Amino acid sequence: MNFGNRFAINLQIMIKKHQTCGKDIFPYKLFALSSLPQNRCMNLELFIARRLFTTRKGEKRISKPAVLIAQWGVAIGLLVMIVSVCIVVGFKHQVREKIIGFGQHIQVRNYESTARGEVPVTATDTLLGTLEKIPMASNAQRYVQKPGLIAVGDEFDGIILKGVGDGYDLSFFADYIKDGELPTFSDTASSGSILLSKSVADRMKVSVGDKVNIYFVHNNVKARRFTVKGLYETHLSEMDNLIALTDIYTIRRLNGWEDNKCTGIEITLSDYDFLEQARDSVIGIMDAEASHNYEKLYVQTVEEMNPALFAWLDILDGTVWVILVLVLGVAGFTMISGLLILILEKSNLIGILKALGSQDVSIRKIFLYYAMFIIGRGMLWGNAIALSLCLLQYKYGIVKLDAEMYYMDRVPIEFSWWLIPLNIAMFILSVAMLVLPSMLISRIEPTKAIRFE
């Protein structure tokens, strides 16, 4: 009994066990197939593809290396995609949160400050309460800042001293304390404490507990002496090299301002996606307030205050898309190569199916289902390896970075919901790329293919 007869008998047995639903892969049935029971149904193309994929016979077949290469091509491609997305999303999130930590999502300042020094904003408790009622706004707080010159011995450097009160949210700075402790700042008294960045402290050669003098120059020179209570380090050098924190009371007295006067108002949002809507709401409130107090106020978002940094972060999105397209192309090429090798190796099977009356579309479905199994297994391994690597980096920070260049000392990882549509898109596009190559089946002639060994 030759191979063709054995296949026909086995196929009849399979059809008896797994009858198709309302359609037949073989429109011209043998007489033995016409009396088969119709009460059980399944997708016969899927069944044959599963048998081809799971069979252990023919381990030395030519297509085995091609299948493995295609499978690991998909796995490595998806691994690169997942790791790239997790790193870029984590990097953008961490840099953005650091920028927001120094100035919050939205700031209100006096327009005249840019023309003739610091001109205060009138920020009453009623106004702050109104701003906090904006949808997605979690906090509205005053701050006062003043440029100064820090001097220790023969060393000196320029800084911006930012005054905050006891109601100011300092959770951001608390996360980046490297030495000492976070001082307690006050609206009503001067604690004489200062929070310096580690980079400034290193340049000034001071540590926690040391005294520093800060000089303020406007119409005349004023000096204040502070005790260093803590050192922070965010690795965002543009901010670390400038910002130091102290009591809002101290800076108000230096400026000669009343208690409801401040350099600006910071509004914190609970959801960054509502930045523009919240900005419009703040503008509406502050327009009414400005006309009442005869002040020229302007509202800025964190993106408007730091355009260069956010433009740089936007460029990263384009880089990720380039990586995703290139990796998808490589993975798709390996799958196409594997499918063509499978079709050529299984040309004998294709010839027999055509001889039994199967249509080209049905045979193409078999090989596309087969390819789906290969893609699915590759994606399973790709997800497992990628998520394991990301989890290790997330917990232990194995891969380090130069903080001076990348604003952080380790490769950041953030798991995003984008991983789900990424997997779905990878699967759909990989299968779609195989539709055209599968048309090679229509060019295989049964008479020649059955004789092919």
Side-chain angles (χ1 to χ4, degrees):
M1 184 181 292
N2 59 28
F3 175 80
N5 292 333
R6 290 200 308 271
F7 179 82
I9 293 173
N10 290 334
L11 194 57
Q12 292 180 38
I13 295 173
M14 287 191 295
I15 295 176
K16 287 180 181 180
K17 294 181 179 180
H18 306 279
Q19 190 66 25
T20 59
C21 297
K23 65 183 182 70
D24 199 339
I25 191 173
F26 305 111
Y28 306 104
K29 293 184 179 179
L30 301 174
F31 72 92
L33 303 181
S34 61
S35 60
L36 295 178
Q38 303 292 327
N39 58 336
R40 286 170 295 180
C41 62
M42 91 172 274
N43 187 327
L44 187 57
E45 294 97 340
L46 180 61
F47 174 79
I48 296 175
R50 187 184 296 116
R51 289 293 297 270
L52 291 173
F53 181 72
T54 57
T55 183
R56 293 180 177 273
K57 295 180 180 180
E59 290 293 333
K60 295 182 180 179
R61 62 186 187 273
I62 298 174
S63 62
K64 183 180 178 182
V67 171
L68 289 176
I69 291 173
Q71 181 175 300
W72 281 105
V74 172
I76 295 173
L78 187 60
L79 183 153
V80 173
M81 289 182 177
I82 292 176
V83 172
S84 299
V85 170
C86 288
I87 291 176
V88 171
V89 171
F91 184 83
K92 289 185 65 176
H93 180 78
Q94 286 197 24
V95 172
R96 189 181 71 188
E97 290 303 308
K98 288 180 180 181
I99 299 172
I100 292 172
F102 282 100
Q104 304 309 317
H105 296 86
I106 300 174
Q107 281 191 7
V108 179
R109 298 192 64 177
N110 197 309
Y111 184 79
E112 295 182 351
S113 294
T114 60
R116 51 185 182 87
E118 288 293 338
V119 178
V121 174
T122 303
T124 62
D125 292 338
T126 302
L127 174 61
L128 296 181
T130 303
L131 291 172
E132 289 178 349
K133 292 179 182 178
I134 293 174
M136 308 311 297
S138 59
N139 195 11
Q141 49 204 5
R142 309 176 185 92
Y143 74 95
V144 180
Q145 66 182 31
K146 192 174 184 65
L149 193 67
I150 182 171
V152 179
D154 296 332
E155 301 290 336
F156 60 90
D157 202 356
I159 63 169
I160 294 178
L161 201 59
K162 184 173 182 178
V164 298
D166 52 11
Y168 193 91
D169 183 8
L170 292 171
S171 57
F172 167 75
F173 291 95
D175 293 337
Y176 292 98
I177 293 294
K178 294 299 180 181
D179 194 11
E181 61 182 9
L182 190 67
T184 301
F185 299 118
S186 173
D187 296 85
T188 58
S190 176
S191 65
S193 302
I194 190 173
L195 178 69
L196 279 180
S197 70
K198 189 174 183 299
S199 58
V200 172
D202 290 342
R203 290 200 304 271
M204 295 294 103
K205 298 181 176 58
V206 297
S207 57
V208 174
D210 291 345
K211 305 288 185 179
V212 295
N213 294 318
I214 300 182
Y215 297 90
F216 305 94
V217 180
H218 188 48
N219 295 326
N220 53 9
V221 179
K222 297 180 181 179
R224 292 292 185 274
R225 191 172 181 83
F226 297 93
T227 302
V228 179
K229 288 291 185 179
L231 302 177
Y232 73 90
E233 185 178 36
T234 68
H235 298 298
L236 194 63
S237 56
E238 286 85 348
M239 300 298 182
D240 285 0
N241 293 334
L242 284 178
I243 303 298
L245 300 184
T246 190
D247 304 285
I248 192 172
Y249 175 86
T250 302
I251 309 302
R252 274 191 182 136
R253 298 289 80 79
L254 286 168
N255 289 337
W257 291 350
E258 300 174 359
D259 291 345
N260 62 349
K261 302 293 185 180
C262 59
T263 300
I265 303 171
E266 295 177 345
I267 297 98
T268 307
L269 304 181
S270 56
D271 191 337
Y272 186 85
D273 293 336
F274 289 84
L275 184 65
E276 292 302 321
Q277 295 92 316
R279 176 183 180 273
D280 294 338
S281 299
V282 173
I283 289 175
I285 294 172
M286 298 313 300
D287 282 346
E289 187 69 20
S291 62
H292 177 72
N293 293 322
Y294 302 102
E295 295 177 341
K296 297 180 181 180
L297 305 178
Y298 68 96
V299 177
Q300 281 187 308
T301 64
V302 63
E303 295 180 0
E304 294 169 335
M305 290 183 286
N306 304 276
L309 283 173
F310 278 91
W312 173 53
L313 294 179
D314 289 338
I315 293 175
L316 294 178
D317 291 334
T319 303
V320 172
W321 280 110
V322 172
I323 293 174
L324 295 182
V325 171
L326 291 176
V327 171
L328 180 62
V330 173
F333 178 77
T334 58
M335 278 302 307
I336 291 173
S337 302
L339 178 65
L340 293 177
I341 293 174
L342 279 171
I343 291 174
L344 293 176
E345 186 183 66
K346 300 296 182 182
S347 59
N348 188 282
L349 170 62
I350 295 171
I352 293 173
L353 290 173
K354 286 190 175 185
L356 290 173
S358 177
Q359 301 296 315
D360 288 340
V361 174
S362 296
I363 301 175
R364 286 174 63 188
K365 287 182 180 179
I366 293 174
F367 284 90
L368 287 176
Y369 282 135
Y370 195 172
M372 289 181 189
F373 291 137
I374 297 173
I375 294 170
R377 179 175 288 181
M379 291 180 64
L380 181 64
W381 281 108
N383 275 281
I385 298 173
L387 294 177
S388 298
L389 292 175
C390 289
L391 186 61
L392 287 173
Q393 178 64 24
Y394 181 80
K395 293 190 68 175
Y396 302 108
I398 299 172
V399 182
K400 305 297 183 181
L401 292 175
D402 182 0
E404 294 296 326
M405 295 183 61
Y406 297 101
Y407 302 132
M408 53 196 71
D409 58 357
R410 63 183 64 184
V411 172
I413 294 292
E414 182 169 326
F415 297 99
S416 171
W417 65 271
W418 272 100
L419 298 183
I420 296 175
L422 179 64
N423 275 270
I424 296 174
M426 174 73 172
F427 183 81
I428 294 175
L429 292 175
S430 297
V431 175
M433 293 172 68
L434 301 178
V435 173
L436 187 61
S438 69
M439 295 179 67
L440 177 65
I441 291 171
S442 63
R443 303 179 64 87
I444 296 177
E445 299 179 7
T447 54
K448 295 181 180 179
I450 292 175
R451 294 198 302 267
F452 176 77
E453 293 291 342

